[in-house]
Amino acid sequence: MSGMIIKGKTGDWEVVCGLEIHCQIISKSKIFSGASTHYGSDVNQNVSFVDAGMPGMLPTLNEECVRQAVKTGFGLNAKINKYSAFARKNYFYADLPQGYQITQFKYPIVGEGFVKIELEDGSTKDIGVERLHIEQDAAKSIHDISPTKTFIDLNRAGVGLMEIVTKPDFRSPEEAGAFLRKLRSIVRYLGSCDGNMDEGSMRCDASISVRPVGSKELRPRAEVKNVNSVKFAMQAIDFEARRQVELYESGGTMQQQTCQFNQATGQTKFLRFKEFSDDYRYFPEPDLPPLVLSDEFIEDIKKNLIELPDAKKERFVKELGLTAYDASVICENKEMAEFFERAAQGHDAKKVANWLMGDFFAMLNEKKLSLEESPISAENLGKLVELITQNVINGKTAKDVFAIMAETGKAPEVIVEEKGLKQVTDTSAIEKIVDDVIAANPDNVASYKAGKTNLLGWFVGQVMKQSSGKANPGIVNQILKQKLG
Ligand code: MN
């Protein structure tokens, strides 16, 4: 059960939440013009006459944006609509030079689908997707240059967006957080959006209402706009749900409204009562014909789809024996999953996963390195695990070898050779050390024989120390028990 119950004075309440996510489409040029989408250019450099809303300029649809939307539709297990159409959403705002946004309204390019989310308790839940439509982004207002003026950067005006709308299926902030992470993972796998919420290329609006547990009604909701991190989205849902419960319990009523999230306080703030679609005077876009996709176009995209996180995860569990949890952590990031597969190739995959999620992640974290900058290659990580599996080194020596690999980037077998770290599995050599230890400690031998058998660990420690950590601990145990018993 991942739903959140809010204990009120009058009873138990549940949260009902849906998300709308705007994802900037990865494409070289904008959705209706040839201007560049390059992020970080000087202000107002990537602007065509179309983007600037000059009279008489006509939009031309960018096929690559359509391709990316269809690909993403497949990633959402959704229906691809062969027929879709553009509409004008009219509103005045300084960052919208045309005075309207070209979007899709009645006929979106992608219809219903679902996304599977994984929750902390190991359970999964399917979140319904209502639709995905494509539209143009607005420009960016800059408020912090002058105290009395607002400036406009048109570079973002006309960049392609995919707006993904979910069903109101979220019952807790945790579920919404899991969905956002999963969606980010899917679009990054597909290369249709970079998923960077902090740079604004993925922006989330959350519609939140509450109702008494057991009720099926949908009460008026608050829409929290433009939340720019997973953590903030979760905070906004939590705060807003509790605020509404308090409002109802003190006799107040909710009206559909739009709110803002304050990152500093973690609170939502009322902005305005909600506009409805009528307010936008939608009408069919006269400058663009309906978008009709051929079967070949759709099939070609489907045929070239890469393996998505869910499928990869399932394969890692079934074929490589990973736990569902390990597999989902490794598969969240495509590069990580590929690194793991290279490392596990021909070796004990479960052990490789343990090293990856333990020492390896810790090492990257500590050195503040990305995966690409790792001094330890996938192949060398696999070889290290193999050395343990083959009893060439023991687990403790492996930790030392790993540390040297992280410093030098050398292959593990080279380090083992150079430092003479090969495990001693030769029983006669170990037997000799055991004899020395027993001879040097008659008191402990006597205590052990008198029944203090937990001294065995101490004896093992002594033998390991004398072998400079190279003795095989299993064999040491065996011989010690024999000689002391
Ligand atoms: Mn939109």
Side-chain angles (χ1 to χ4, degrees), residues 60-104:
T60 314
L61 180 59
N62 178 348
E63 188 180 309
E64 179 61 13
C65 293
V66 176
R67 205 175 284 280
Q68 294 284 42
V70 171
K71 207 157 77 170
T72 306
F74 281 120
L76 305 175
N77 306 296
K79 180 173 181 289
I80 309 299
N81 291 326
K82 289 175 71 178
Y83 178 96
S84 66
F86 295 96
R88 273 192 194 179
K89 180 180 182 178
N90 298 282
Y91 64 95
F92 172 79
Y93 206 73
D95 64 13
L96 191 73
Q98 293 170 140
Y100 57 85
Q101 179 193 33
I102 304 179
T103 179
Q104 294 185 313

Side-chain angles (χ1 to χ4, degrees), residues 20 22 89 101 103 133 135 161 163:
E20 285 181 21
H22 284 89
K89 180 180 182 178
Q101 179 193 33
T103 179
H133 64 255
E135 59 187 22
L161 293 177
E163 180 178 332

Side-chain angles (χ1 to χ4, degrees), residues 16-18 20 165 168 206-210 218-224 240 243-244 248 254-259 270 272-276:
V16 178
C17 170
E20 285 181 21
V165 183
S207 285
I208 303 145
S209 65
V210 295
L218 289 176
R219 296 196 175 194
R221 55 187 198 264
E223 189 174 323
V224 186
E240 181 57 28
R243 183 189 76 79
Q244 289 179 22
Y248 284 125
M254 260 294 286
Q255 225 182 314
Q256 205 112 305
Q257 59 194 255
T258 301
C259 300
F270 175 85
R272 57 182 178 264
F273 288 112
K274 169 97 180 140
E275 323 70 2
F276 293 88

Side-chain angles (χ1 to χ4, degrees), residues 133-274:
H133 64 255
I134 47 179
E135 59 187 22
Q136 52 183 179
D137 206 346
K140 200 171 176 177
S141 308
I142 303 168
H143 304 288
D144 54 7
I145 295 177
S146 153
T148 54
K149 291 191 182 98
T150 289
F151 292 80
I152 302 289
D153 177 7
L154 289 172
N155 283 354
R156 204 178 66 184
V159 169
L161 293 177
M162 301 180 281
E163 180 178 332
I164 297 161
V165 183
T166 77
K167 299 197 185 264
D169 284 350
F170 302 103
R171 294 291 170 275
S172 69
E174 188 208 347
E175 291 179 1
F179 177 86
L180 286 171
R181 284 195 302 273
K182 187 62 175 282
L183 178 65
R184 190 169 57 190
S185 165
I186 291 169
V187 294
R188 283 179 175 166
Y189 262 71
L190 292 168
S192 60
C193 168
D194 68 27
N196 294 333
M197 290 186 83
D198 53 347
E199 285 175 4
S201 41
M202 191 169 137
R203 310 191 282 271
C204 171
D205 302 341
S207 285
I208 303 145
S209 65
V210 295
R211 66 186 173 199
V213 168
S215 149
K216 288 289 157 237
E217 65 183 323
L218 289 176
R219 296 196 175 194
R221 55 187 198 264
E223 189 174 323
V224 186
K225 288 293 207 187
N226 282 328
V227 190
N228 66 1
S229 83
V230 176
K231 192 181 103 195
F232 292 151
M234 292 169 69
Q235 276 179 4
I237 296 166
D238 189 75
F239 179 85
E240 181 57 28
R242 290 174 198 283
R243 183 189 76 79
Q244 289 179 22
V245 168
E246 246 172 66
L247 178 73
Y248 284 125
E249 293 202 324
S250 62
T253 51
M254 260 294 286
Q255 225 182 314
Q256 205 112 305
Q257 59 194 255
T258 301
C259 300
Q260 202 176 31
F261 178 70
N262 184 330
Q263 303 180 2
T265 62
Q267 300 184 346
T268 57
K269 192 181 130 212
F270 175 85
L271 272 185
R272 57 182 178 264
F273 288 112
K274 169 97 180 140

Side-chain angles (χ1 to χ4, degrees), residues 408-427:
T408 64
K410 283 185 183 170
E413 72 276 13
V414 173
I415 296 167
V416 168
E417 201 56 52
E418 279 178 2
K419 307 252 169 198
L421 295 173
K422 258 195 194 126
Q423 179 164 236
V424 180
T425 47
D426 172 2
T427 39

